[in-house]
Amino acid sequence: MNKKISKKEAENEIHEFFKDILNKNPKEIKKIRRLAMNKKIPLKELRKTFCKHCDNPHVEPSIRIKNDKLRITCENCDKKSRWKIK
Ligand SMILES: [Zn+2]
């Protein structure tokens, strides 16, 4: 699939993709990350819905809050992602 799509179309595609993130696999997530990167579309909050280490969606992540940081432990690869809480 190498069709050229506009930024707007890419945004829609990404938006639709993340509605159903829990049913996606790492291969699909990698693809959508690449699309976002190519189109320079920031994923922002959407970044938190999948693991940045193994690209698996966080289905039942263990979440800890310490100081002003949110720590999500990936149930798949056991690696931790940290996010600042605003
Ligand atoms: Zn992971």
Side-chain angles (χ1 to χ4, degrees):
M1 199 183 80
N2 268 326
K3 61 176 177 151
K4 281 205 171 161
I5 57 169
S6 70
K7 189 170 180 179
K8 188 78 209 151
E9 282 170 322
E11 273 170 1
N12 285 339
E13 199 173 309
I14 290 166
H15 189 74
E16 286 303 310
F17 182 89
F18 277 96
K19 272 188 193 166
D20 195 29
I21 184 70
L22 294 183
N23 292 312
K24 306 296 183 189
N25 62 45
K27 213 175 146 192
E28 292 171 304
I29 291 176
K30 248 182 210 128
K31 211 171 96 183
I32 213 81
R33 280 174 77 178
R34 210 176 305 137
L35 174 69
M37 217 159 59
N38 287 343
K39 299 285 178 188
K40 298 185 171 64
I41 298 166
L43 293 179
K44 294 177 195 161
E45 294 294 304
L46 299 175
R47 265 319 262 105
K48 296 177 193 172
T49 59
F50 62 90
C51 176
K52 63 181 174 184
H53 303 286
C54 67
D55 287 319
N56 273 285
H58 290 308
V59 181
E60 285 179 65
S62 114
I63 298 173
R64 289 231 177 96
I65 298 171
K66 203 178 173 189
N67 301 327
D68 59 344
K69 297 238 172 64
L70 187 76
R71 202 176 71 182
I72 300 176
T73 306
C74 176
E75 66 272 33
N76 188 69
C77 69
D78 219 32
K79 284 186 177 154
K80 293 166 183 66
S81 304
R82 287 185 185 83
W83 307 98
K84 248 190 199 153
I85 303 168
K86 275 161 250 165

XYZ file of all heavy atoms in Angstrom:
729
model
N 0.850 -1.202 0.000
C 0.000 0.000 0.000
C 0.875 1.237 0.000
O 1.362 1.659 1.027
C -0.919 -0.022 1.221
C -2.121 0.912 1.051
S -3.155 0.928 2.537
C -2.213 2.066 3.571
N 1.062 1.801 -1.171
C 1.922 2.970 -1.252
C 1.222 4.185 -1.807
O 1.863 5.103 -2.279
C 3.150 2.647 -2.103
C 4.296 2.159 -1.223
O 4.417 2.626 -0.091
N 5.091 1.252 -1.722
N -0.098 4.160 -1.721
C -0.836 5.305 -2.277
C -0.506 6.574 -1.498
O -0.289 6.552 -0.288
C -2.335 5.025 -2.250
C -2.865 4.801 -0.839
C -4.369 4.618 -0.837
C -4.804 4.326 0.583
N -6.044 4.682 1.016
N -0.491 7.657 -2.229
C -0.228 8.938 -1.577
C -1.525 9.488 -1.013
O -2.530 9.560 -1.702
C 0.368 9.916 -2.595
C 1.835 9.658 -2.822
C 2.526 10.915 -3.296
C 4.024 10.690 -3.300
N 4.727 11.654 -4.128
N -1.482 9.861 0.236
C -2.668 10.444 0.831
C -2.317 11.801 1.431
O -1.161 12.064 1.762
C -3.310 9.526 1.897
C -2.322 9.180 3.014
C -3.856 8.249 1.267
C -2.981 8.503 4.202
N -3.317 12.620 1.556
C -3.082 13.960 2.104
C -2.913 13.877 3.611
O -3.215 12.861 4.239
C -4.259 14.877 1.769
O -5.388 14.481 2.526
N -2.442 14.960 4.188
C -2.262 14.994 5.633
C -3.591 14.821 6.353
O -3.697 14.131 7.357
C -1.607 16.323 6.032
C -1.199 16.341 7.488
C -0.347 17.532 7.838
C 0.025 17.467 9.313
N 0.880 18.564 9.738
N -4.607 15.443 5.782
C -5.955 15.355 6.368
C -6.431 13.903 6.373
O -6.978 13.416 7.362
C -6.905 16.243 5.561
C -8.274 16.384 6.164
C -8.270 17.375 7.317
C -9.350 17.005 8.314
N -9.062 17.393 9.675
N -6.227 13.219 5.264
C -6.626 11.813 5.165
C -5.845 10.950 6.150
O -6.376 10.039 6.757
C -6.413 11.302 3.734
C -7.485 11.752 2.767
C -7.150 11.455 1.314
O -5.959 11.590 0.941
O -8.052 11.091 0.569
N -4.575 11.271 6.277
C -3.729 10.532 7.220
C -4.220 10.742 8.643
O -4.272 9.799 9.441
C -2.275 10.981 7.090
N -4.584 11.978 8.961
C -5.112 12.283 10.300
C -6.374 11.481 10.581
O -6.543 10.938 11.670
C -5.413 13.789 10.423
C -4.199 14.582 10.859
C -4.422 16.088 10.751
O -5.524 16.515 10.347
O -3.480 16.822 11.069
N -7.257 11.416 9.603
C -8.487 10.636 9.760
C -8.176 9.162 9.974
O -8.776 8.504 10.816
C -9.387 10.790 8.526
C -10.074 12.142 8.503
O -10.209 12.791 9.545
N -10.482 12.573 7.329
N -7.250 8.678 9.186
C -6.878 7.270 9.272
C -6.322 6.945 10.664
O -6.676 5.938 11.278
C -5.836 6.951 8.200
C -5.733 5.480 7.910
C -4.829 5.178 6.722
O -5.012 5.776 5.651
O -3.944 4.345 6.899
N -5.474 7.825 11.157
C -4.877 7.634 12.478
C -5.951 7.693 13.561
O -5.992 6.867 14.473
C -3.771 8.696 12.718
C -2.571 8.392 11.804
C -3.331 8.712 14.178
C -1.575 9.517 11.684
N -6.844 8.647 13.408
C -7.932 8.816 14.374
C -8.791 7.546 14.451
O -9.098 7.034 15.529
C -8.788 10.022 13.966
C -9.794 10.415 14.991
N -9.443 11.057 16.159
C -11.138 10.237 15.046
C -10.536 11.262 16.877
N -11.579 10.771 16.227
N -9.154 7.036 13.281
C -9.959 5.810 13.211
C -9.198 4.624 13.809
O -9.759 3.799 14.515
C -10.324 5.495 11.754
C -11.387 6.404 11.168
C -12.686 6.377 11.979
O -13.176 5.275 12.262
O -13.184 7.467 12.335
N -7.922 4.564 13.500
C -7.076 3.469 13.975
C -7.069 3.402 15.501
O -7.236 2.339 16.094
C -5.645 3.678 13.449
C -4.685 2.583 13.837
C -4.522 1.470 13.046
C -3.938 2.696 15.006
C -3.637 0.465 13.411
C -3.051 1.686 15.383
C -2.903 0.579 14.574
N -6.911 4.562 16.126
C -6.776 4.569 17.581
C -8.093 4.349 18.319
O -8.092 4.067 19.508
C -6.090 5.856 18.054
C -4.591 5.758 17.947
C -3.924 6.266 16.846
C -3.856 5.117 18.933
C -2.549 6.145 16.725
C -2.479 4.988 18.823
C -1.829 5.506 17.726
N -9.211 4.469 17.608
C -10.504 4.151 18.221
C -10.557 2.675 18.596
O -11.267 2.269 19.499
C -11.631 4.435 17.220
C -12.136 5.850 17.265
C -13.358 5.943 16.378
C -13.731 7.386 16.124
N -14.706 7.469 15.014
N -9.837 1.883 17.852
C -9.884 0.439 18.016
C -8.501 -0.106 18.353
O -8.137 -1.208 17.977
C -10.405 -0.176 16.710
C -10.830 -1.618 16.895
O -11.245 -1.969 18.018
O -10.738 -2.392 15.934
N -7.746 0.677 19.084
C -6.333 0.360 19.335
C -6.143 -0.997 20.017
O -5.171 -1.706 19.744
C -5.656 1.504 20.145
C -4.153 1.254 20.344
C -6.336 1.753 21.489
C -3.327 1.367 19.093
N -7.076 -1.379 20.880
C -6.891 -2.621 21.637
C -6.940 -3.859 20.752
O -6.487 -4.938 21.139
C -7.933 -2.729 22.752
C -7.815 -1.677 23.869
C -8.851 -1.926 24.938
C -6.423 -1.665 24.478
N -7.508 -3.714 19.577
C -7.566 -4.857 18.669
C -6.500 -4.816 17.586
O -6.571 -5.552 16.604
C -8.952 -4.943 18.021
C -10.011 -5.307 19.039
O -9.835 -6.244 19.809
N -11.083 -4.554 19.071
N -5.526 -3.944 17.781
C -4.462 -3.851 16.780
C -3.250 -4.671 17.214
O -3.044 -4.927 18.395
C -4.042 -2.394 16.585
C -5.175 -1.462 16.248
C -5.803 -1.795 14.920
C -6.900 -0.775 14.598
N -7.678 -1.175 13.427
N -2.459 -5.041 16.222
C -1.237 -5.775 16.564
C -0.016 -4.881 16.328
O -0.119 -3.837 15.693
C -1.168 -7.097 15.769
C -1.111 -6.854 14.274
O -0.368 -6.001 13.794
N -1.896 -7.608 13.525
N 1.129 -5.288 16.869
C 2.334 -4.435 16.790
C 2.704 -4.041 15.370
O 3.179 -2.939 15.135
C 3.424 -5.321 17.400
C 2.697 -6.247 18.288
C 1.372 -6.501 17.642
N 2.440 -4.933 14.428
C 2.774 -4.638 13.036
C 1.952 -3.456 12.521
O 2.458 -2.565 11.849
C 2.492 -5.894 12.194
C 3.434 -6.072 11.040
C 3.170 -7.384 10.344
C 3.425 -7.247 8.843
N 2.919 -8.409 8.104
N 0.671 -3.468 12.875
C -0.216 -2.386 12.444
C 0.139 -1.075 13.140
O 0.073 0.000 12.553
C -1.681 -2.756 12.749
C -2.200 -3.891 11.907
C -3.564 -4.382 12.377
O -3.691 -4.752 13.569
O -4.491 -4.399 11.566
N 0.514 -1.194 14.411
C 0.873 0.001 15.169
C 2.147 0.630 14.603
O 2.245 1.832 14.456
C 1.011 -0.330 16.675
C -0.380 -0.656 17.233
C 1.640 0.831 17.440
C -0.401 -1.105 18.684
N 3.094 -0.219 14.240
C 4.323 0.281 13.620
C 4.012 1.051 12.344
O 4.596 2.090 12.064
C 5.252 -0.895 13.298
C 6.488 -0.869 14.172
C 7.441 -1.991 13.837
C 8.191 -2.374 15.089
N 8.158 -3.785 15.406
N 3.082 0.490 11.588
C 2.715 1.101 10.314
C 2.084 2.483 10.528
O 2.404 3.436 9.823
C 1.730 0.179 9.578
C 1.843 0.266 8.079
C 1.023 -0.812 7.409
C -0.336 -0.267 7.010
N -1.207 -1.292 6.424
N 1.210 2.569 11.512
C 0.519 3.841 11.758
C 1.494 4.864 12.351
O 1.401 6.056 12.075
C -0.745 3.626 12.635
C -1.843 4.632 12.231
C -0.478 3.737 14.107
C -2.632 4.239 11.024
N 2.471 4.376 13.137
C 3.494 5.288 13.665
C 4.311 5.874 12.520
O 4.665 7.048 12.523
C 4.451 4.525 14.587
C 3.896 4.298 15.972
C 4.827 3.427 16.764
N 5.998 4.159 17.237
C 6.940 3.611 17.980
N 6.867 2.343 18.333
N 7.957 4.314 18.392
N 4.598 5.016 11.551
C 5.392 5.455 10.414
C 4.612 6.489 9.595
O 5.152 7.492 9.146
C 5.775 4.254 9.541
C 7.100 4.454 8.824
C 7.494 3.211 8.036
N 7.524 2.022 8.882
C 7.026 0.831 8.527
N 6.468 0.672 7.350
N 7.111 -0.189 9.338
N 3.323 6.222 9.429
C 2.463 7.151 8.706
C 2.451 8.512 9.402
O 2.614 9.551 8.771
C 1.037 6.576 8.616
C -0.031 7.482 8.012
C 0.201 7.682 6.514
C -1.425 6.912 8.246
N 2.276 8.489 10.715
C 2.242 9.734 11.482
C 3.565 10.485 11.355
O 3.604 11.703 11.232
C 1.937 9.434 12.946
N 4.648 9.729 11.374
C 5.968 10.325 11.287
C 6.170 10.963 9.909
O 6.629 12.090 9.803
C 7.020 9.250 11.536
C 8.216 9.731 12.314
S 9.095 8.343 13.073
C 9.516 7.368 11.643
N 5.789 10.226 8.870
C 5.946 10.729 7.505
C 5.152 12.000 7.282
O 5.579 12.895 6.569
C 5.499 9.664 6.496
C 6.495 8.536 6.418
O 7.642 8.661 6.857
N 6.072 7.414 5.859
N 3.956 12.029 7.874
C 3.077 13.188 7.669
C 3.289 14.250 8.741
O 2.568 15.234 8.793
C 1.609 12.728 7.685
C 1.254 11.741 6.593
C 1.139 12.445 5.257
C 0.834 11.428 4.151
N 0.904 12.035 2.816
N 4.238 13.977 9.634
C 4.520 14.902 10.737
C 3.281 15.217 11.572
O 2.966 16.365 11.867
C 5.143 16.198 10.200
C 6.479 15.954 9.504
C 7.106 17.278 9.103
C 8.538 17.086 8.618
N 8.572 16.274 7.375
N 2.558 14.160 11.901
C 1.370 14.317 12.726
C 1.711 13.879 14.155
O 2.060 12.720 14.374
C 0.198 13.460 12.177
C -0.171 13.933 10.771
C -1.016 13.530 13.112
C -1.060 12.966 10.009
N 1.646 14.781 15.117
C 1.969 14.394 16.500
C 0.882 13.499 17.084
O -0.305 13.781 16.937
C 2.045 15.731 17.241
C 1.278 16.704 16.415
C 1.237 16.189 15.005
N 1.297 12.424 17.728
C 0.312 11.496 18.300
C -0.142 11.927 19.689
O -1.189 11.524 20.157
C 0.890 10.074 18.348
C 1.145 9.412 16.992
C 1.743 8.029 17.183
C -0.126 9.295 16.165
N 0.675 12.756 20.339
C 0.325 13.279 21.664
C -0.195 12.208 22.613
O 0.469 11.222 22.864
C -0.690 14.412 21.527
C -0.124 15.631 20.822
C -1.214 16.678 20.663
C -0.795 17.734 19.643
N -1.940 18.470 19.140
N -1.424 12.401 23.094
C -2.008 11.490 24.083
C -2.129 10.061 23.553
O -2.108 9.103 24.312
C -3.401 11.980 24.495
C -3.395 13.302 25.242
C -2.717 13.191 26.595
O -3.143 12.347 27.385
O -1.754 13.939 26.832
N -2.260 9.928 22.264
C -2.416 8.599 21.670
C -1.196 7.723 21.914
O -1.285 6.500 21.931
C -2.670 8.720 20.161
C -3.929 9.487 19.754
C -3.984 9.643 18.234
C -5.178 8.777 20.242
N -0.056 8.376 22.112
C 1.191 7.659 22.386
C 1.085 6.757 23.615
O 1.779 5.781 23.750
C 2.310 8.676 22.650
C 3.216 9.098 21.516
C 3.638 8.003 20.600
N 4.956 7.474 20.906
C 5.185 6.323 21.482
N 4.209 5.563 21.872
N 6.408 5.900 21.661
N 0.217 7.155 24.537
C 0.106 6.422 25.796
C -0.708 5.146 25.670
O -0.772 4.364 26.599
C -0.539 7.314 26.865
C 0.313 8.510 27.206
C -0.393 9.407 28.202
C 0.313 10.749 28.294
N -0.426 11.699 29.098
N -1.351 4.963 24.534
C -2.222 3.795 24.398
C -1.475 2.559 23.929
O -2.034 1.477 23.879
C -3.389 4.087 23.421
O -2.845 4.431 22.145
C -4.246 5.217 23.929
N -0.209 2.719 23.575
C 0.560 1.533 23.192
C 1.990 1.650 23.720
O 2.438 2.728 24.114
C 0.554 1.329 21.671
C 1.181 2.461 20.892
C 2.525 2.446 20.591
C 0.411 3.532 20.469
C 3.101 3.489 19.883
C 0.977 4.579 19.749
C 2.322 4.554 19.456
N 2.662 0.517 23.758
C 4.010 0.465 24.318
C 5.027 0.952 23.293
O 5.043 0.492 22.156
C 4.322 -0.971 24.718
S 5.996 -1.190 25.313
N 5.888 1.888 23.719
C 6.877 2.412 22.776
C 8.032 1.442 22.571
O 8.846 1.616 21.682
C 7.393 3.771 23.243
C 8.134 3.735 24.558
C 8.589 5.140 24.951
C 9.207 5.124 26.331
N 9.580 6.474 26.786
N 8.106 0.420 23.428
C 9.199 -0.548 23.304
C 8.848 -1.691 22.353
O 9.645 -2.093 21.533
C 9.568 -1.111 24.672
C 9.938 -0.043 25.649
N 11.135 0.627 25.600
C 9.257 0.488 26.701
C 11.179 1.527 26.577
N 10.054 1.462 27.248
N 7.645 -2.238 22.520
C 7.306 -3.421 21.718
C 6.124 -3.194 20.795
O 5.720 -4.100 20.076
C 7.043 -4.617 22.639
S 5.562 -4.424 23.651
N 5.531 -1.980 20.813
C 4.424 -1.627 19.924
C 3.156 -2.427 20.156
O 2.317 -2.533 19.280
C 4.835 -1.755 18.451
C 5.775 -0.632 18.045
O 5.532 0.509 18.459
O 6.739 -0.910 17.325
N 3.000 -2.999 21.340
C 1.748 -3.665 21.660
C 0.821 -2.665 22.332
O 1.264 -1.830 23.106
C 1.988 -4.837 22.620
C 2.325 -6.106 21.875
O 1.452 -6.740 21.294
N 3.598 -6.461 21.849
N -0.485 -2.764 22.051
C -1.396 -1.868 22.766
C -1.444 -2.221 24.250
O -1.312 -3.390 24.615
C -2.752 -2.119 22.094
C -2.625 -3.433 21.416
C -1.170 -3.631 21.094
N -1.611 -1.233 25.097
C -1.741 -1.483 26.528
C -3.164 -1.939 26.814
O -4.088 -1.143 26.836
C -1.452 -0.208 27.336
C -0.016 0.197 27.314
N 1.005 -0.658 27.640
C 0.576 1.376 27.020
C 2.151 -0.016 27.546
N 1.933 1.212 27.162
N -3.341 -3.224 27.025
C -4.678 -3.755 27.278
C -5.011 -3.643 28.758
O -6.001 -3.042 29.156
C -4.801 -5.219 26.806
C -6.204 -5.738 27.057
C -4.482 -5.314 25.317
N -4.149 -4.212 29.587
C -4.329 -4.084 31.030
C -3.025 -3.643 31.663
O -2.378 -4.414 32.363
C -4.745 -5.431 31.642
C -6.170 -5.808 31.372
C -6.499 -7.157 31.986
O -6.463 -7.258 33.227
O -6.742 -8.094 31.221
N -2.630 -2.446 31.393
C -1.341 -2.000 31.904
C -1.386 -1.784 33.409
O -2.441 -1.490 33.973
C -1.114 -0.677 31.185
C -2.483 -0.159 30.904
C -3.341 -1.376 30.689
N -0.254 -1.979 34.035
C -0.190 -1.627 35.446
C 0.294 -0.185 35.518
O 1.328 0.177 34.968
C 0.738 -2.603 36.163
O 1.865 -1.944 36.616
N -0.500 0.643 36.147
C -0.210 2.069 36.178
C 0.102 2.508 37.596
O -0.645 2.216 38.524
C -1.399 2.878 35.621
C -1.654 2.496 34.153
C -1.124 4.390 35.738
C -2.919 3.115 33.573
N 1.223 3.182 37.737
C 1.595 3.726 39.045
C 1.821 5.210 38.903
O 2.387 5.665 37.912
C 2.896 3.086 39.529
C 2.712 1.660 39.927
C 3.277 1.394 41.302
N 2.987 0.001 41.647
C 3.846 -0.988 41.473
N 5.048 -0.742 41.017
N 3.508 -2.212 41.787
N 1.422 5.930 39.911
C 1.679 7.361 39.893
C 2.608 7.706 41.037
O 2.358 7.353 42.187
C 0.364 8.161 39.993
C -0.523 7.850 38.779
C 0.663 9.657 40.066
C -1.927 8.421 38.876
N 3.719 8.308 40.655
C 4.695 8.668 41.661
C 5.138 10.093 41.392
O 5.485 10.429 40.270
C 5.885 7.712 41.576
C 6.661 7.631 42.871
C 7.793 6.643 42.724
C 8.675 6.686 43.962
N 9.883 5.923 43.785
N 5.140 10.922 42.442
C 5.401 12.352 42.276
C 4.471 12.884 41.175
O 3.287 12.702 41.256
C 6.872 12.594 41.983
C 7.742 12.062 43.112
O 7.323 12.089 44.277
N 8.918 11.566 42.789
N 5.036 13.458 40.144
C 4.141 13.927 39.090
C 4.315 13.097 37.821
O 4.098 13.548 36.726
C 4.391 15.419 38.804
C 5.827 15.676 38.363
O 6.663 14.777 38.587
O 6.091 16.742 37.809
N 4.714 11.831 38.040
C 4.933 10.978 36.880
C 3.985 9.780 36.883
O 3.719 9.176 37.923
C 6.375 10.469 36.870
C 7.385 11.574 36.737
C 8.264 11.373 35.527
C 9.150 12.573 35.271
N 10.105 12.798 36.371
N 3.530 9.466 35.711
C 2.688 8.305 35.513
C 3.577 7.199 34.961
O 4.309 7.426 34.001
C 1.617 8.685 34.481
C 0.490 7.730 34.175
C -0.517 7.773 35.309
C -0.202 8.150 32.883
N 3.546 6.058 35.588
C 4.413 4.985 35.100
C 3.550 3.820 34.634
O 2.779 3.261 35.406
C 5.364 4.544 36.196
C 6.591 3.864 35.638
C 7.538 3.539 36.742
N 6.995 2.454 37.556
C 7.589 1.957 38.638
N 8.711 2.477 39.058
N 7.045 0.968 39.289
N 3.694 3.492 33.390
C 2.936 2.377 32.830
C 3.898 1.227 32.572
O 4.914 1.387 31.917
C 2.252 2.781 31.504
C 1.289 3.952 31.748
C 1.518 1.592 30.905
C 0.648 4.485 30.469
N 3.575 0.066 33.125
C 4.382 -1.112 32.859
C 3.683 -1.938 31.790
O 2.513 -2.287 31.936
C 4.565 -1.954 34.122
O 5.082 -1.116 35.153
C 5.534 -3.106 33.877
N 4.383 -2.223 30.745
C 3.801 -2.978 29.642
C 3.580 -4.431 30.068
O 4.476 -5.071 30.602
C 4.729 -2.915 28.435
S 4.153 -3.922 27.064
N 2.371 -4.944 29.839
C 2.065 -6.316 30.216
C 2.688 -7.313 29.263
O 2.720 -8.492 29.511
C 0.549 -6.528 30.297
C -0.192 -6.406 28.986
C -0.625 -4.976 28.657
O 0.091 -4.014 29.030
O -1.670 -4.837 28.026
N 3.190 -6.809 28.176
C 3.766 -7.695 27.182
C 5.283 -7.828 27.317
O 5.814 -8.931 27.385
C 3.395 -7.195 25.786
C 3.797 -8.161 24.707
O 3.224 -9.242 24.595
N 4.790 -7.790 23.937
N 5.993 -6.711 27.378
C 7.458 -6.788 27.420
C 8.017 -6.403 28.785
O 9.220 -6.458 29.000
C 8.075 -5.912 26.327
S 7.870 -4.148 26.618
N 7.117 -5.959 29.688
C 7.516 -5.640 31.051
C 8.390 -4.394 31.163
O 8.972 -4.139 32.208
C 8.222 -6.840 31.687
C 7.816 -6.974 33.149
O 6.668 -6.625 33.469
O 8.651 -7.403 33.962
N 8.482 -3.637 30.110
C 9.249 -2.399 30.177
C 8.339 -1.260 30.623
O 7.130 -1.322 30.476
C 9.881 -2.091 28.818
C 11.061 -2.961 28.552
C 11.762 -2.535 27.281
C 12.992 -3.410 27.085
N 13.378 -3.514 25.681
N 8.971 -0.247 31.164
C 8.190 0.857 31.710
C 8.247 2.103 30.831
O 9.287 2.415 30.269
C 8.696 1.193 33.108
C 8.433 0.094 34.090
C 9.236 0.290 35.360
C 9.018 -0.878 36.305
N 9.563 -2.161 35.778
N 7.117 2.749 30.751
C 7.066 4.043 30.090
C 6.657 5.081 31.109
O 5.785 4.824 31.941
C 6.043 4.022 28.944
O 6.331 3.005 28.041
N 7.274 6.227 31.067
C 6.924 7.272 32.024
C 6.353 8.483 31.326
O 6.817 8.857 30.248
C 8.171 7.704 32.806
C 8.605 6.669 33.799
C 9.762 7.198 34.621
N 10.246 6.150 35.501
C 11.091 5.201 35.140
N 11.543 5.192 33.905
N 11.476 4.282 35.981
N 5.340 9.032 31.927
C 4.720 10.224 31.371
C 4.565 11.250 32.463
O 4.208 10.926 33.586
C 3.340 9.892 30.788
C 3.381 8.758 29.815
C 3.084 7.455 30.070
C 3.738 8.815 28.429
N 3.242 6.709 28.932
C 3.650 7.518 27.918
C 4.143 9.859 27.579
C 3.937 7.234 26.592
C 4.428 9.559 26.268
C 4.324 8.268 25.782
N 4.778 12.477 32.093
C 4.557 13.551 33.051
C 3.065 13.855 33.122
O 2.381 13.881 32.105
C 5.307 14.809 32.575
C 6.447 15.137 33.497
C 7.013 16.500 33.164
C 8.404 16.611 33.755
N 9.236 17.518 33.020
N 2.588 14.068 34.327
C 1.198 14.466 34.478
C 1.143 15.984 34.538
O 1.844 16.597 35.343
C 0.586 13.880 35.762
C 0.713 12.356 35.747
C -0.876 14.286 35.892
C 0.406 11.726 37.088
N 0.305 16.545 33.691
C 0.240 18.008 33.666
C -0.728 18.514 34.705
O -1.651 17.851 35.066
C -0.177 18.487 32.264
C 1.050 18.586 31.374
C 0.618 18.604 29.905
C 1.007 17.299 29.229
N 0.333 17.096 27.971
Zn 5.947 -3.440 25.635
